[in-house]
Amino acid sequence: MTLELFETEAPWREPLAPGAVVLRRFASGRDAALLAAVQAVVEAAPFRHLVTPGGFRMQVAMTNCGALGWVSDRRGYRYDAHDPDSGRPWPPMPAEFEKLAADAAAEAGFGGFAPDACLVNRYLPGTRLSLHQDRDERDHGQPIVSVSLGVPAMFQFGGTRRTDRLQRVPLAHGDVVVWGGPARLSFHGVLPLKDAQHPLLGASRINLTFRKAG
Ligand code: MD3
Ligand code: FE
């Protein structure tokens, strides 16, 4: 019997709110395979800065894989089967992505999660993501699974009203968050990324969010 005062074995669970749980380092052992798959996605559908309906260029660079991809332009936010930059379907969801998302969702109590969309976000030093809700998916009863890779970020989330008080949660390389139930429509954002270095990703952070959009 070991007395483990200073070590916790990955992954460990941190409840954030009803319906939301961080699975710390859940993706750590799969990081190289995930990043190789990200590279293949980005070769087929490069990162780009979308424009909001209000005409602002988003700081976060984005791309997608899977049957549906999230897009924004002057006409609004929506999911689309095609990359507007190339006119082609989004690259397919890599098998490693699907497996990780389903495993994490099951760990959080959402068995049978089968995402049809993966939004890939890239943050560079100073990049922030302002407070928003994710409500463009058809069924808000389905959870969202998020995977953080690279430089750590400070994530913030509140309640279902923009003015609800915010909690801050650091998200590091390999951390996975599952948002379902009453947490699914909570407001959330990311504070400006610090200028730091990660051994696999340099000064950048990549976040994958898995959704059942259609
Ligand atoms: C809480 N991405 O892509 S991941 C997004 O780090 C997005 O890139 C952030 O917000 C990022 O929409 C945060 C954590 C996250 C993702 C989806 C959520 C938290 C969520 C949906 C509902 C509630
Ligand atoms: Fe979001």
Side-chain angles (χ1 to χ4, degrees):
M1 179 70 179
T2 318
L3 181 57
E4 286 191 354
L5 290 177
F6 304 109
E7 284 186 49
T8 306
E9 201 174 317
W12 63 100
R13 171 190 294 269
E14 268 177 43
L16 288 183
V21 63
V22 191
L23 306 173
R24 293 285 181 199
R25 313 299 187 264
F26 189 83
S28 292
R30 315 189 197 185
D31 59 351
L34 292 172
L35 287 170
V38 167
Q39 198 168 341
V41 167
V42 169
E43 275 162 25
F47 283 117
R48 79 288 307 269
H49 293 274
L50 297 172
V51 173
T52 66
F56 297 100
R57 172 188 188 266
M58 295 187 69
Q59 289 187 10
V60 178
M62 298 179 172
T63 186
N64 292 278
C65 61
L68 293 170
W70 186 82
V71 293
S72 174
D73 58 22
R74 293 303 302 233
R75 284 152 45 210
Y77 305 120
R78 64 194 169 277
Y79 282 93
D80 199 299
H82 294 90
D83 177 349
D85 282 7
S86 67
R88 294 190 303 259
W90 294 104
M93 178 99 63
E96 307 87 310
F97 279 23
E98 238 173 56
K99 174 79 162 52
L100 175 70
D103 289 351
E107 187 66 31
F110 298 94
F113 181 56
D116 56 12
C118 173
L119 174 60
V120 184
N121 292 333
R122 186 195 61 197
Y123 296 74
L124 296 175
T127 303
R128 64 190 288 271
L129 180 66
S130 57
L131 207 63
H132 67 278
Q133 288 174 299
D134 289 17
R135 30 182 340 138
D136 301 323
E137 302 74 27
R138 205 178 285 281
D139 178 5
H140 296 157
Q142 293 281 332
I144 292 184
V145 174
S146 117
V147 180
S148 292
L149 296 166
V151 170
M154 190 60 81
F155 175 74
Q156 53 180 6
F157 75 97
T160 53
R161 284 176 300 206
R162 186 175 284 280
T163 52
D164 290 337
R165 70 168 291 116
L166 301 174
Q167 288 190 59
R168 287 181 176 190
V169 184
L171 292 180
H173 181 78
D175 289 349
V176 176
V177 193
V178 182
W179 301 85
R184 174 63 180 77
L185 289 176
S186 45
F187 276 90
H188 58 277
V190 179
L191 296 180
L193 194 75
K194 292 213 170 126
D195 193 349
Q197 288 288 328
H198 185 274
L200 297 180
L201 276 165
S204 68
R205 169 176 188 258
I206 288 185
N207 181 266
L208 312 173
T209 49
F210 294 96
R211 302 129 187 279
K212 175 79 182 73

